[in-house]
Amino acid sequence: YGIDITVSSCRPYRSKEYWDDCCYQMKLLFNTNLYNPYIQFHKANFSIFPIAPMPLIIKLGELIGDKLPCDIYQKTRHPDTWEWQSNELTNEFILEMQAECGVENKVALIISLTNDIQNDRIRQVGEYQAIYKIKATSTGVDCIKSPDDLSAFWHMYQQTMDHILNTHGGDCQIHLFPSMP
């Protein structure tokens, strides 16, 4: 059976209160629906079909974590489907690092998959000790076409997070700038 996690808020969309309200609702619905005895003891299989603004999809990912096994699907616009468009690796993901003279233990993590976010735009937002950028070799809304692409991105992301942890320590602040499907 499906679990629909729908959140809404009467607060202004661009306000912090809107996002706080939606994240609180998502956490409450997630805990109510996914941490009940039936699901815990029957080892349910999960498939995730997210349609939401990027901050809420990121929050859902945080709630799911890497301990709950699940399959993740991406909505494709052309053709209009949830099916993967390929069965093999169609893209590569690389990491670029740039040391800065900014605030210690504060780094920027740019995820440039659908569009290339330039480092100059990030410097306008704040000062960072380093800027890390995960880039897709081929950018665009269809940059992840297969489960192998998703896996390749996930491994690059995990390696990047490990590098940040080992270089900057566990109390490092990471400011995330995503451009991704």
Side-chain angles (χ1 to χ4, degrees), residues 119-130:
N119 292 1
D120 291 343
R121 292 182 65 195
I122 304 309
R123 289 186 194 100
Q124 292 173 1
V125 174
E127 294 183 4
Y128 304 97
Q129 187 177 14

Side-chain angles (χ1 to χ4, degrees), residues 2 6 17 38 42 46 53 61 68 76 104 110 132 159 162 166:
T6 302
E17 293 80 14
Y38 179 80
H42 288 90
F46 289 98
L68 180 66
T76 303
E104 188 173 334
I110 304 169
Y132 293 84
Q159 290 171 10
D162 287 344
N166 294 330

Side-chain angles (χ1 to χ4, degrees), residues 100-107 126-130 168 172-173:
E100 299 282 315
C101 297
V103 179
E104 188 173 334
N105 288 334
K106 183 177 166 186
V107 302
E127 294 183 4
Y128 304 97
Q129 187 177 14
H168 302 281
C172 174
Q173 283 186 11

